[in-house]
Amino acid sequence: MAAQVVIRARRAVVDGAEQSVAVSVADGRIVAVDPYDTVVPGADVIELSDDEVLLPGLVDAHVHVNEPGRTEWEGFASATRAAAAGGVTTIIDMPLNSIPPTVSVAALEEKRAVARDQAYVDVGFWGGAVPGNLPDLRPLHEAGVFGFKCFLLHSGVDEFPHLSAGELREALAETATFDALVIVHAEDEQTIESSPQPHGQGYAGFLGSRPKEAEERAIAEVIDATRETGGRAHILHLSDADAIPLIATAQAEGLRVSVETCPHYLTLDAEEIPDGATQFKCCPPIREHDNQDRLWAGLEDGVIRTIVSDHSPCTEELKRFDSGDFGEAWGGIAGLQLGLPAIWTEARERGHSLVDVVRWMGEGPADQVGLTDRGRIAVGSPADLVVFAPDESFTVDVAALRHKNPVSAYAGRTLTGAVRQTWLHGIPVDIDADPRGRLLTRGQS
């Protein structure tokens, strides 16, 4: 197929390396990746500046859009605009905190109907595993969800109850029959309940209410259940670096257990969180700097293979800035638009390259959910591309973000790396024009 557009970049992340390339695009897909000086007759040529790097569109497999039902927290229009502004071209939406939660095919169809004409990037959906919906899991899988989210303790919203240890095993055994992925919020309920309850403005009190042992005990439970059932499990938003050896051992054993972490755990330190700064509250919590160093080591060793946002926004009122009380505030970090610059700012300081960042935030999440032609610049892949200026710095202004509510743990921070343009299906995204994102089903390219 003849190229319609050629993007020429002296720096581009292709095939696990930085290269000088000419990327040819036709009908929304990449049709050739040639050396930089290649002449492509008849095509419009776009030349990137010397300070720009061409990246593949990133894939964020952990996003709470919250629509329908809690659209004042976030919605598909605002979330996907923020994604595009942050270089993310595919998101997978969590089955909560929307109402209804995505625990049946009827609820999935309701969510798809709301999202269909609002998406500025491509959107897929997770299903939910909750008590009593075991018969719904296979129909949801056949309807195209990318897997099933569950909690091992209260989810924060009553309409999405958590699974017991026995129910987790039942869900893993059922999903093993059709090889679906179960993704788990792994904190142990009993450990949390027996810990001091958070109250007041001190972050140390909140941190003490979500001890590392809660993650380790729950992750051990997930590993045992995976071993017993033969299922596939993915540990969500790992904050406790002490759990990495548990996961590494399970992976070495051949168990199908994977794990992700998030930009806030890799870039923010418990020691630096001021009193009353509830924008930093999330579960599991942001931990100390030494713990952060060891999370980075887990990425370097390949035990942790993906970085996703866990974008979990809410209204300003729910963060309780009036009292600054960590016990009362909603827990969640709104970071969909800022994940790439936040990670790049820290990664470059630690000696990592954009190749590493693309592996963790593009290829890794894409492969996890089976969208194996995304998150990379390759012939046949969707022409989802990002023009990134890795040396350009900016200070985060929450009022300028595309998230619905002006709440961010990164407010006022100086980050390095700016997204100058995002392409979806071979066309630059215009977040002030009509949306062109597509709704994805499992197995769809």
Side-chain angles (χ1 to χ4, degrees), residues 274-359:
D275 288 351
T278 54
Q279 66 268 31
F280 292 92
K281 180 181 177 180
C282 58
C283 300
I286 296 163
R287 302 193 187 276
E288 300 85 355
H289 187 80
D290 172 71
N291 181 84
Q292 182 189 110
D293 287 342
R294 289 182 291 122
L295 287 176
W296 279 98
L299 283 163
E300 293 161 9
D301 294 341
V303 179
I304 305 171
R305 296 170 190 164
T306 57
I307 302 173
V308 293
S309 70
D310 187 12
H311 178 66
S312 187
C314 68
T315 61
E316 289 182 272
E317 291 77 12
L318 286 173
K319 277 297 186 181
R320 294 306 308 267
F321 293 131
D322 55 341
S323 67
D325 191 318
F326 278 93
E328 298 176 350
W330 173 261
I333 301 289
L336 178 56
Q337 184 172 335
L338 297 172
L340 174 57
I343 286 297
W344 173 236
T345 300
E346 186 72 21
R348 71 186 305 183
E349 289 295 319
R350 293 176 178 266
H352 295 290
S353 69
L354 283 170
V355 173
D356 298 323
V357 173
V358 166
R359 184 174 70 254

Side-chain angles (χ1 to χ4, degrees), residues 71-260:
T71 310
E72 70 274 14
W73 294 18
E74 191 70 277
F76 284 101
S78 54
T80 55
R81 283 189 178 108
V88 176
T89 53
T90 302
I91 66 170
I92 313 296
D93 173 60
M94 284 290 162
L96 73 162
N97 301 298
S98 56
I99 302 174
T102 317
V103 295
S104 68
V105 172
L108 173 65
E109 290 307 318
E110 186 171 344
K111 183 171 280 194
R112 282 177 168 163
V114 170
R116 184 164 289 113
D117 296 325
Q118 297 193 74
Y120 284 82
V121 300
D122 290 349
V123 179
F125 302 92
W126 294 106
V130 297
N133 86 323
L134 202 66
D136 292 291
L137 301 186
R138 185 181 288 271
L140 276 164
H141 176 77
E142 292 172 350
V145 299
F146 285 83
F148 300 95
K149 166 79 173 284
C150 69
F151 281 74
L152 299 185
L153 79 171
H154 196 281
S155 70
V157 292
D158 292 338
E159 69 273 4
F160 196 95
H162 65 285
L163 299 183
S164 67
E167 289 165 335
L168 172 66
R169 281 163 171 77
E170 291 175 354
L172 279 166
E174 172 66 12
T175 55
T177 65
F178 45 90
D179 199 33
L181 182 64
V182 175
I183 61 175
V184 187
H185 182 123
E187 289 182 284
D188 179 67
E189 180 181 36
Q190 185 175 355
T191 304
I192 299 292
E193 289 181 349
S194 62
S195 299
Q197 297 305 296
H199 65 276
Q201 296 188 346
Y203 185 76
F206 171 65
L207 186 59
S209 75
R210 315 291 292 209
K212 290 182 173 185
E213 292 80 12
E215 287 191 77
E216 290 156 35
R217 289 168 183 163
I219 289 169
E221 186 71 51
V222 173
I223 290 170
D224 287 344
T226 303
R227 182 184 294 110
E228 293 172 17
T229 62
R232 288 199 295 142
H234 179 76
I235 306 299
L236 297 168
H237 45 51
L238 182 71
S239 85
D240 171 26
D242 288 348
I244 292 173
L246 283 172
I247 300 164
T249 299
Q251 292 172 346
E253 184 183 334
L255 300 180
R256 296 191 294 171
V257 178
S258 56
V259 61
E260 69 188 32

